[in-house]
Amino acid sequence: MMRGWVRTATAVPPLHAGDPQANAKEIIQVLEEAETKEADVVVFPAFALTGATLGDLYDAPTLLLAAEEALEEIGEATKKKHPALVLSLPRRANGAVYEAIVIVQNGMVFETSDFTLVNRYDGSLLCRCTVAEAEDLESGTPWDIWQENGVDLVLIPAALPAGMGKASALTKQVKALSARGFGIALASAGENETGLDALYGGDRLLTESGMLLAKGGTLGSHTLLADGIPAEAEGLFTLYADMDLDRLEGTRHQALEARGVEVEEEEDVETLPMTPRREAAWCAVDAAPMVAKTDEACEEVLQIQARALARRMRHVHTNQVWIGLSGGLDSTLAMLVSLRTFALENWDIKGIHLVSMPAFGTGKRTRSNASALGESSGCDFREISLTEVLTQHFQDIGLPKGDHSVAFENAQARERTQILMDLANLHGGLHVGTGDFSESALGWSTYNGDHMSMFNVNGAIAKTMAQALVRYEAKRLPTLRPILEDILRTPISPELLPGREGEIAQKTEDLIGPYEIHDFYLYYFLRYRYEPEKLLTLGEKAFAGRYDRKTLLWVMHRLFERFFASQFKRSVMTDGVDIGILSLSPRGGWEMPSDVRANAWLREVEQLAEEGEA
């Protein structure tokens, strides 16, 4: 069941050192804004009621009493208000003053560092929260415990002095901790603090599963909001973001599995009723989560591919590879990876054998690009026509002339694989596969045809990632740039059916939907197991103005239909290399029986479609 989002805020209002009543007014002003912006939780800096740098004044009964009276005033202001406020103030116990953490919501005040937000309608758990100290940023132990106990949000009231490089270091540190499956909201004391020999930067940070959602400060650091979070998520002194509870839970689950740790039972803690948030306007959604976003990231991925191929080639004692070059995206990427491999090993690139194998469905454009790319690359290039051998094969198996059924299509793919395998055997080389992650997920490959090779460099590369990598190589290789750019503009097609006058007859995305939507859904389904309703919610946000609800649901239906039906192909997929995002390898990447039915998912997709029409 979808848990949804929690709207989390970090606030650093102006501080009036030693004046709790004035600070209460500032906090109530933040509360009023947070109510209008529908925040669930707001965290304030350490000692927001008094100031964090008052020294011996914390022992003064006058200050302690004034802080309690200010807290009562805030409690009254929260009545019939939704947000839970996370505050700290000085209190005395057993003759000593300590920092008390209090949660204030709807007129109630709890002194606690652990609480849960529950569905006000049915009492079900929405979000587990804990309040941490700034010192916990340097310690691994509490984070392990919180991870095991299923904590979703870690709220940090802090007072951290400013200094050269400290703000960026803090951001990096908080992002790293949140990558363990936490949403972290940190609010640090601002420049109105009165500490001697120190200035405080008013840092505000919101992170989720290693992703920076929002940050701000008062020392020359401009507010930053992640893609998908609108400008209205910045308040007067406050930053807001919707944190994805399902993503947090999924990230923690994966981390705990890697550690071999079982989840602990939840302890009894204070519960606060919340209205569940089924849709999120202020969440960060990456429309291309499978794509390397920078040149450095593209370079890293290509290096992984190239070095993995080099390792396999050294192992089998060969410096020869055979690649079926179609003039399309995936085979082009395999060739580019091979060029890198041969450069790494100082091998003669004539050992890269590129074979174009035109058949009945091959278009003029892809055939021309394959030829131009093969000849411009400096590799060994040859063209072997399949028309004659396939005509004989169709006669041998009794396929009627003009029958363009699946046997007609798949025979072309299998013949190409047979030729490449045999050439590799004949010359002691390796047949390098080209099929990508997206095709494998959708079963868009011919079993024992382009589905098979001796080593596949693209098995973990999504279609959208392949486009980014080829685009990067086009910038890096001026000699090949015009050809690579035309390949990127060419419609994706298996080219297995004859077209008119050499034009492409099959456009894959017309048949199954845009790959960018498939890759988006695949990422969130495979990594976090999101249900269709949540996939649609995120998809509508990520692709707003580009694809309507009907299209998004049609693609989702095709995805689940094909993904479940095609597991048998993935169960015997070729060796390849993971790149660290997702893997469909049956050897630890994705484990699933071949005969599971998709009906439960398809019914939910169909129900969503019916709701949209109502």
Side-chain angles (χ1 to χ4, degrees):
M1 196 69 178
M2 185 170 77
R3 294 174 64 199
W5 291 264
V6 57
R7 183 159 292 174
T8 309
T10 170
V12 184
L15 177 79
H16 307 273
D19 189 348
Q21 274 64 41
N23 292 326
K25 288 180 172 57
E26 300 286 0
I27 291 168
I28 291 169
Q29 183 179 359
V30 170
L31 167 68
E32 297 292 342
E33 179 192 87
E35 174 74 7
T36 63
K37 290 184 179 288
E38 301 181 337
D40 296 317
V41 182
V42 186
V43 61
F44 292 85
F47 294 101
L49 281 168
T50 60
T53 54
L54 300 187
D56 288 340
L57 285 178
Y58 291 125
D59 281 325
T62 301
L63 180 69
L64 297 179
L65 179 59
E68 294 294 342
E69 291 173 346
L71 181 61
E72 286 184 21
E73 185 179 346
I74 293 169
E76 282 295 314
T78 63
K79 286 183 177 179
K80 297 184 180 180
K81 297 286 196 303
H82 183 80
L85 309 183
V86 179
L87 297 164
S88 75
L89 72 161
R91 277 181 172 169
R92 183 183 296 277
N94 301 321
V97 175
Y98 68 99
E99 181 184 6
I101 301 297
V102 295
I103 312 301
V104 190
Q105 188 214 30
N106 194 20
M108 298 180 292
V109 179
F110 308 97
E111 182 174 338
T112 180
S113 59
D114 298 290
F115 62 99
T116 64
L117 307 180
V118 297
N119 188 328
R120 69 169 68 251
Y121 301 117
D122 62 15
S124 61
L125 172 71
L126 289 179
C127 177
R128 293 188 179 96
C129 307
T130 195
V131 182
E133 298 178 358
E135 291 78 8
D136 292 323
L137 293 170
E138 305 296 337
S139 174
T141 303
W143 299 89
D144 289 342
I145 295 171
W146 295 331
Q147 191 181 58
E148 292 164 20
N149 289 342
V151 169
D152 297 296
L153 291 188
V154 179
L155 309 163
I156 307 178
L160 301 170
M164 185 180 296
K166 285 187 176 181
S168 59
L170 176 66
T171 301
K172 184 177 180 180
Q173 186 178 37
V174 172
K175 282 177 61 180
L177 288 168
S178 76
R180 302 175 67 176
F182 301 109
I184 299 179
L186 179 145
S188 184
E191 60 189 84
N192 290 333
E193 285 288 351
T194 59
L196 297 175
D197 300 323
L199 186 71
Y200 293 80
D203 294 296
R204 295 170 296 168
L205 284 173
L206 293 169
T207 64
E208 173 201 298
S209 290
M211 177 171 54
L212 179 64
L213 301 181
K215 68 175 290 188
T218 57
L219 300 179
S221 57
H222 298 291
T223 299
L224 183 151
L225 300 174
D227 290 343
I229 300 180
E232 63 192 278
E234 181 181 6
L236 186 59
F237 311 113
T238 310
L239 297 178
Y240 302 82
D242 292 334
M243 294 196 179
D244 188 338
L245 296 172
D246 298 291
R247 177 186 289 189
L248 294 173
E249 184 176 32
T251 305
R252 278 197 312 278
H253 177 72
Q254 292 168 9
L256 290 169
E257 275 192 338
R259 289 173 54 199
V261 175
E262 294 185 4
V263 176
E264 298 289 334
E265 291 293 325
E266 178 191 8
E267 298 178 3
D268 291 333
V269 297
E270 298 291 349
T271 59
L272 306 179
M274 289 286 169
T275 302
R277 194 179 300 279
R278 303 298 287 175
E279 296 186 6
W282 298 353
C283 65
V285 182
D286 185 352
M290 303 279 276
V291 176
K293 303 298 193 298
T294 64
D295 287 352
E296 291 78 11
C298 288
E299 182 65 30
E300 183 179 15
V301 172
L302 288 159
Q303 285 284 339
I304 292 171
Q305 290 178 276
R307 291 177 186 276
L309 177 58
R311 179 187 60 193
R312 177 54 57 89
M313 292 178 69
R314 291 194 303 268
H315 181 71
V316 298
H317 306 294
T318 187
N319 58 1
Q320 309 283 315
V321 295
W322 295 82
I323 301 171
L325 194 66
S326 68
L329 181 70
D330 294 332
S331 63
T332 296
L333 178 58
M335 184 211 76
L336 293 169
V337 169
S338 298
L339 284 171
R340 284 173 165 267
T341 297
F342 276 63
L344 284 170
E345 299 295 324
N346 293 315
W347 291 333
D348 185 352
I349 61 171
K350 290 298 182 182
I352 302 174
H353 305 282
L354 307 173
V355 187
S356 172
M357 293 168 281
F360 305 106
T362 304
K364 290 180 179 178
R365 183 176 184 178
T366 51
R367 186 172 184 175
S368 173
N369 278 336
S371 176
L373 188 61
E375 292 171 357
S376 300
S377 67
C379 304
D380 171 49
F381 173 75
R382 67 191 69 184
E383 183 177 286
I384 301 175
S385 174
L386 303 188
T387 305
E388 186 175 340
V389 68
L390 284 171
T391 299
Q392 181 61 52
H393 176 62
F394 292 150
Q395 291 177 5
D396 293 341
I397 67 172
L399 184 73
K401 190 173 183 179
D403 183 338
H404 293 165
S405 63
V406 67
F408 175 86
E409 294 188 50
N410 288 352
Q412 297 171 70
R414 292 193 178 105
E415 183 61 30
R416 290 184 175 117
T417 298
Q418 174 176 266
I419 289 172
L420 292 168
M421 290 276 194
D422 290 347
L423 282 169
N425 286 163
L426 180 63
H427 299 285
L430 199 71
H431 168 208
V432 174
T434 63
D436 65 45
F437 177 94
S438 308
E439 291 179 341
S440 180
L442 294 164
W444 200 255
S445 58
T446 297
Y447 195 71
N448 204 35
D450 51 336
H451 152 268
M452 188 54 62
S453 64
M454 295 173 179
F455 189 81
N456 186 3
V457 295
N458 292 342
I461 304 296
K463 188 72 75 177
T464 48
M465 173 72 93
Q467 291 168 331
L469 296 177
V470 172
R471 192 171 294 114
Y472 168 71
E473 291 290 70
K475 292 190 298 183
R476 200 179 65 87
L477 303 170
T479 303
L480 301 179
R481 182 178 301 162
I483 309 166
L484 297 179
E485 289 178 345
D486 193 64
I487 288 170
L488 286 165
R489 291 190 295 267
T490 304
I492 298 167
S493 171
E495 293 196 304
L496 298 174
L497 291 177
R500 291 184 178 180
E501 299 180 357
E503 295 299 315
I504 294 174
Q506 298 166 290
K507 295 182 180 179
T508 303
E509 293 179 299
D510 289 347
L511 302 172
I512 62 172
Y515 270 113
E516 62 179 337
I517 303 178
H518 282 295
D519 287 350
F520 178 85
Y521 285 155
L522 282 167
Y523 176 82
Y524 288 105
F525 172 64
L526 295 174
R527 184 160 189 184
Y528 303 114
R529 312 294 192 263
Y530 283 175
E531 59 197 63
E533 181 187 359
K534 184 145 191 174
L535 291 176
L536 178 62
T537 297
L538 293 175
E540 287 184 313
K541 182 174 177 62
F543 299 111
R546 297 176 57 200
Y547 300 108
D548 59 20
R549 179 187 178 95
K550 184 176 181 181
T551 300
L552 292 170
L553 284 170
W554 176 77
V555 174
M556 193 187 301
H557 196 283
R558 295 290 282 159
L559 169 66
F560 283 118
E561 192 175 51
R562 295 191 64 91
F563 181 82
F564 279 81
S566 304
Q567 177 62 25
F568 74 99
K569 297 181 183 180
R570 297 188 292 270
S571 294
V572 291
M573 67 190 297
T574 304
D575 271 6
V577 58
D578 291 344
I579 60 168
I581 298 179
L582 290 172
S583 170
L584 289 172
S585 169
R587 297 167 292 275
W590 177 260
E591 298 179 7
M592 169 179 150
S594 295
D595 301 317
V596 178
R597 301 179 69 180
N599 289 4
W601 286 266
L602 296 178
R603 277 195 296 269
E604 187 170 342
V605 176
E606 290 160 5
Q607 183 178 348
L608 289 168
E610 291 171 2
E611 291 171 359
E613 294 173 357

